[in-house]
């Protein structure tokens, strides 16, 4: 079960999801995906149970089994454009500004199912600075829950997977982090259903300490 008391984790690098972890984009995601659900005669509530954390084409493959994948990719491109243009209500997760500031000079990367355009738009809308190392949809051949993105992030930082800690909110993302052999800090109410190693309500509950030996110590409060 996830830890519920104050916990301390030690890592050499942190890998950060974006939506639901650094940025609250739920309002935009809901608007775009519920319109898509209506177009395809699907129940919007059921669609929303699937889409968080995955690339759009992967969600579509689950929701419309049997549809040609090239059609999913084409549909996904249109959806990404819609999402990029819709930043109303996109805000930072509580504590995100201070958390990112505390990581300056420490090994960390953004690992997101969004593409470059969408991640840039949402981070800017939330007033958050992008990490120097970013693994986006264009960087991988498989969507979360496949671990490829997190493994690429670790490789780019030159850190072994076991020495990384992932920050995630979704079931797909948490599964990807665990499949990569990494520990996972779950952020927000969605995370608690998917058995991360530690779960907190937001980033105000995480304090980052740089240790002299080059490691990162995370102090995580309930």
């Amino acid at each position: 079960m996830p830890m519920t008391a104050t916990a301390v984790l030690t890592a050499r690098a942190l890998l950060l999801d974006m939506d639901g972890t650094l940025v609250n984009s739920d309002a935009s995601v809901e608007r775009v995906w519920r319109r898509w659900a209506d177009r395809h005669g699907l129940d919007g509530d059921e669609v929303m149970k699937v889409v968080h954390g995955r690339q759009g084409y992967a969600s579509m493959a689950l929701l419309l089994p049997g549809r040609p994948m090239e059609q999913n990719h084409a549909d996904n491109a249109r959806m990404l454009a819609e999402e990029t243009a819709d930043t109303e209500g996109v805000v930072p997760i509580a504590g995100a500004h201070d958390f990112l500031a505390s990581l300056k000079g420490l090994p960390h990367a953004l690992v997101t199912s969004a593409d470059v355009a969408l991640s840039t738009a949402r981070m800017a809308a939330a007033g958050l600075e992008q990490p120097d190392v970013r693994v986006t949809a264009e960087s991988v051949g498989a969507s979360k829950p496949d671990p490829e993105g997190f493994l690429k992030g670790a490789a780019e930082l030159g850190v072994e997977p076991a020495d990384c800690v992932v920050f995630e909110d979704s079931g797909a993302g948490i599964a990807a982090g665990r499949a990569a052999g990494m520990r996972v800090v779950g952020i927000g109410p969605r995370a608690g259903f998917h058995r991360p190693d530690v779960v907190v309500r937001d980033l105000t509950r995480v304090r980052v300490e740089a240790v002299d030996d080059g490691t990162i110590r995370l102090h995580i409060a309930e």
Side-chain angles (χ1 to χ4, degrees):
M1 293 295 290
M3 303 176 195
T4 54
T6 301
V8 177
L9 297 178
T10 300
R12 292 197 173 274
L14 307 183
L15 302 178
L16 316 174
D17 175 51
M18 181 182 70
D19 293 301
T21 300
L22 298 174
V23 171
N24 182 345
S25 56
D26 282 358
S28 174
V29 173
E30 288 264 348
R31 286 191 292 269
V32 171
W33 276 99
R34 285 184 182 278
R35 286 198 299 268
W36 182 87
D38 288 344
R39 289 197 296 269
H40 294 280
L42 299 175
D43 182 273
D45 291 340
E46 294 304 312
V47 167
M48 295 314 302
K49 293 176 183 177
V50 171
V51 301
H52 291 291
R54 293 181 172 84
Q55 290 192 45
Y57 75 86
S59 296
M60 293 170 190
L62 292 173
L63 292 162
L64 296 173
R67 189 167 83 151
M69 190 56 75
E70 59 267 23
Q71 196 171 341
N72 292 336
H73 280 286
D75 213 359
N76 184 46
R78 290 188 290 271
M79 294 281 286
L80 284 169
E82 283 187 55
E83 289 183 293
T84 301
D86 182 358
T87 57
E88 183 180 352
V90 173
V91 296
I93 294 292
H97 285 106
D98 290 344
F99 175 70
L100 287 173
S102 73
L103 296 182
K104 284 192 178 296
L106 300 177
H108 67 289
L110 188 72
V111 182
T112 176
S113 293
D115 64 3
V116 169
L118 180 56
S119 59
T120 300
R122 284 186 175 162
M123 291 288 280
L128 298 176
E129 188 174 340
Q130 296 251 30
D132 291 335
V133 178
R134 297 183 289 276
V135 179
T136 60
E138 297 93 337
S139 309
V140 298
S143 170
K144 299 172 185 176
D146 190 282
E148 181 185 0
F150 287 124
L151 292 172
K152 282 201 167 184
E156 288 199 34
L157 294 171
V159 176
E160 291 296 319
D163 291 326
C164 295
V165 169
V166 165
F167 283 72
E168 264 285 1
D169 72 300
S170 70
I174 291 167
R178 296 179 82 83
M182 302 171 182
R183 290 154 294 159
V184 182
V185 176
I187 306 295
R190 278 193 293 266
F193 295 104
H194 303 289
R195 301 180 64 84
D197 295 282
V198 186
V199 62
V200 293
R201 70 168 183 265
D202 57 44
L203 292 166
T204 66
R205 312 302 290 171
V206 181
R207 181 170 66 85
V208 177
E209 178 189 1
V211 185
D212 290 340
D213 64 1
T215 60
I216 302 167
R217 191 172 293 149
L218 299 170
H219 300 266
I220 301 168
E222 181 183 2

